Amino acid sequence: MKIKSAYYLVLLICCYSFGQLDTFDEKIPLTGITNSWHTIELPNNVFAKLNDEFSDIRIYGITAKDTIEAPYILKKSQASGTEKEVEFQLINQSFNTNGYYFTYEVPVDESINKIELDFKNTNFDWKVKLEGSQNQKDWFTVVEDYRILSIQNTQTQYRYTDLVFPNSKFKFFRLFIKSAIKPELLKSYLLSDKIVPAVYNSYSDLDFAISEKGKQTRIAIAIKKRLPVSFLKLNVTDAIEYYRTIKIDYLADSTATEKGWRYTYRNLYNGTLTSFNANEFTFRPVLTSKLRVNIQNYDNEPLNITGAEAKGFQYTLVTRLKDEANYYLAYGKENAYTPRYDIQQTGFTLPENLKSLQLGAAEKIPKKAAPKKASLFENKLWLWLIMGIIILVLGGFTLKMMQQR
């Protein structure tokens, strides 16, 4: 009994494996396999078929006897690294007719490149200077004329009080704030920022439409293909200073109705469009083909916005191909579960300098047609049988009526 049970279990698993590839929409042949470990860069045409969770990606190998599933790790080119807070002491606070000074001592031998400041003041626009010294006698300029500000009113809630500068290693740092009003410094953070910036794919082929409604500027951005988007830049040509509330939505779903297409948008980002920054907005990655931007102008003139730039992370699979087979990248299955593999677990060491596989042309995966059931009345035997029953019933009624007479 145990041997038979094991046999049927293996047979069931094999049949299940063979059927898995047929449940996906498309496949791409993979070539250039030279060893066990490789990378696969996902091309743009794949994203149109993927579900929102990226859970319907599989790598299947087809042999003469079986279909095998290869494990993979999905990587995206987001920012990486760490931001470490550096130990310090605020040893001096002073002021003169020019402004206010704050002196920090850094007892550790470590460079910093960022200072975050938190003030009790709510509305200010200050220029600051940062200097470094090893002995508090000879001071060297790190940054100067650096602008920090805070705007809080019924229209705008905006604050920018971070100093970003090249790596600097001094025992003492002196911050000078040019202000007639005392800066009420609540907290300072000296940081060693070792974050590597994200790498993006740029989508230049955009449809850009801008309109005004009431006191709002509305921008419709079409990317033409469904792609992963995590970055948007607006090109504003005005030379004036401005601070406007901005809202970014993305197309999450579309449904065909009798009156046309119905589009469902979801919120992606809320913040401030300001001349103080580069108007580059980063947010969680989403798969979409349309973005919608609303800018609240209040009583101001609309800004002159001439274009936009959308970008998305690069997505790469790291896979292990153990057996000889014809391998395919399969995708396109709405309700697919997210696979779990050993190589995805924390602490698993991946090889370096992996070779990327070549991808062929995408192919539609043929679906097995469900067997068509013939209609009951299309079978002549059933027709003759039913006619016979009707004749017998009518004959019985006729004989019964004749006997009654």
Side-chain angles (χ1 to χ4, degrees):
M1 286 296 294
K2 290 183 179 180
I3 294 175
K4 282 188 176 181
S5 300
Y7 170 77
Y8 286 120
L9 179 61
V10 171
L11 182 62
L12 178 63
I13 293 172
C14 290
C15 293
Y16 181 74
S17 297
F18 274 112
Q20 285 299 289
L21 188 59
D22 297 334
T23 62
F24 293 83
D25 289 338
E26 292 185 357
K27 64 180 180 179
I28 298 177
L30 303 173
T31 58
I33 299 172
T34 57
N35 49 51
S36 297
W37 289 93
H38 286 279
T39 61
I40 303 170
E41 296 181 11
L42 293 184
N44 285 345
N45 61 297
V46 168
F47 298 109
K49 293 288 185 178
L50 288 183
N51 63 33
D52 292 337
E53 289 75 31
F54 289 78
S55 64
D56 54 338
I57 299 174
R58 298 292 188 277
I59 301 172
Y60 287 118
I62 299 177
T63 68
K65 297 181 179 180
D66 199 1
T67 298
I68 56 179
E69 182 174 341
Y72 71 84
I73 298 174
L74 177 63
K75 292 181 172 290
K76 56 178 178 283
S77 58
Q78 63 187 3
S80 60
T82 59
E83 188 176 71
K84 177 184 176 182
E85 187 173 349
V86 177
E87 182 184 351
F88 73 94
Q89 293 179 354
L90 180 60
I91 61 173
N92 192 19
Q93 299 184 57
S94 59
F95 69 95
N96 57 25
T97 55
N98 295 322
Y100 293 79
Y101 296 85
F102 301 87
T103 305
Y104 304 93
E105 181 179 2
V106 182
V108 294
D109 186 24
E110 189 167 356
S111 61
I112 67 171
N113 52 18
K114 186 176 182 180
I115 298 178
E116 295 180 356
L117 303 169
D118 184 17
F119 297 96
K120 186 177 180 180
N121 312 65
T122 56
N123 285 281
F124 56 84
D125 187 351
W126 298 326
K127 291 289 185 68
V128 303
K129 180 180 181 180
L130 181 66
E131 298 174 297
S133 174
Q134 300 293 359
N135 53 20
Q136 294 197 80
K137 295 180 180 179
D138 302 315
W139 291 95
F140 302 90
T141 301
V142 179
V143 291
E144 62 181 340
D145 289 331
Y146 198 104
R147 189 179 181 188
I148 59 175
L149 74 160
S150 171
I151 302 173
Q152 295 187 28
N153 52 45
T154 56
Q155 297 181 357
T156 303
Q157 300 288 325
Y158 180 77
R159 176 179 287 261
Y160 185 81
T161 56
D162 295 348
L163 276 68
V164 180
F165 46 89
N167 288 333
S168 301
K169 184 183 292 186
F170 292 99
K171 187 175 181 180
F172 301 96
F173 287 91
R174 183 170 66 185
L175 178 69
F176 168 69
I177 301 177
K178 188 176 182 179
S179 171
I181 301 173
K182 180 181 179 181
E184 298 185 52
L185 182 62
L186 298 176
K187 190 72 176 178
S188 303
Y189 301 91
L190 275 62
L191 303 170
S192 177
D193 188 345
K194 297 180 181 179
I195 295 178
V196 179
V199 178
Y200 295 101
N201 285 329
S202 182
Y203 312 135
S204 56
D205 190 15
L206 305 177
D207 284 337
F208 179 86
I210 188 167
S211 60
E212 308 295 337
K213 185 174 182 180
K215 296 183 179 181
Q216 286 190 346
T217 297
R218 297 186 174 182
I219 304 172
I221 302 170
I223 310 174
K224 297 187 178 179
K225 291 181 180 179
R226 186 170 178 263
L227 293 168
V229 181
S230 51
F231 174 98
L232 180 67
K233 179 180 179 179
L234 296 178
N235 300 323
V236 184
T237 59
D238 295 81
I240 62 172
E241 292 186 349
Y242 53 85
Y243 308 91
R244 312 282 172 92
T245 301
I246 186 173
K247 179 184 177 184
I248 303 174
D249 300 327
Y250 74 100
L251 178 64
D253 194 14
S254 59
T255 308
T257 66
E258 295 179 355
K259 298 181 180 179
W261 284 94
R262 180 180 178 183
Y263 297 104
T264 301
Y265 283 85
R266 293 176 184 168
N267 183 245
L268 190 57
Y269 179 88
N270 293 293
T272 304
L273 180 73
T274 171
S275 56
F276 187 65
N277 288 332
N279 291 324
E280 297 177 351
F281 308 100
T282 57
F283 34 79
R284 61 184 176 88
V286 293
L287 285 172
T288 189
S289 61
K290 296 179 185 294
L291 295 173
R292 187 174 63 185
V293 181
N294 285 345
I295 301 171
Q296 181 60 254
N297 297 314
Y298 300 104
D299 297 320
N300 303 294
E301 288 290 328
L303 297 170
N304 185 27
I305 302 174
T306 58
E309 182 180 0
K311 298 180 182 181
F313 294 138
Q314 298 174 358
Y315 287 84
T316 304
L317 307 180
V318 178
T319 183
R320 182 181 62 194
L321 310 176
K322 292 177 62 178
D323 302 301
E324 290 188 7
N326 294 322
Y327 283 96
Y328 293 87
L329 173 68
Y331 54 93
K333 186 177 180 180
E334 182 63 30
N335 299 318
Y337 67 90
T338 302
R340 297 183 63 182
Y341 304 115
D342 291 338
I343 65 173
Q344 296 172 344
Q345 305 309 311
T346 303
F348 196 96
T349 303
L350 298 176
E352 298 181 354
N353 303 319
L354 300 180
K355 182 181 178 182
S356 180
L357 294 179
Q358 288 81 51
L359 283 73
E363 306 171 12
K364 288 284 186 181
I365 299 177
K367 306 297 181 184
K368 292 181 179 179
K372 184 180 179 182
K373 295 182 179 180
S375 174
L376 178 64
F377 297 104
E378 289 181 5
N379 193 318
K380 291 183 178 181
L381 180 61
W382 281 105
L383 289 174
W384 284 110
L385 181 60
I386 292 172
M387 289 177 65
I389 293 173
I390 293 173
I391 291 171
L392 289 174
V393 172
L394 291 175
F397 278 112
T398 302
L399 290 173
K400 188 175 181 180
M401 292 175 65
M402 291 175 65
Q403 289 175 356
Q404 289 177 352
R405 289 183 180 181

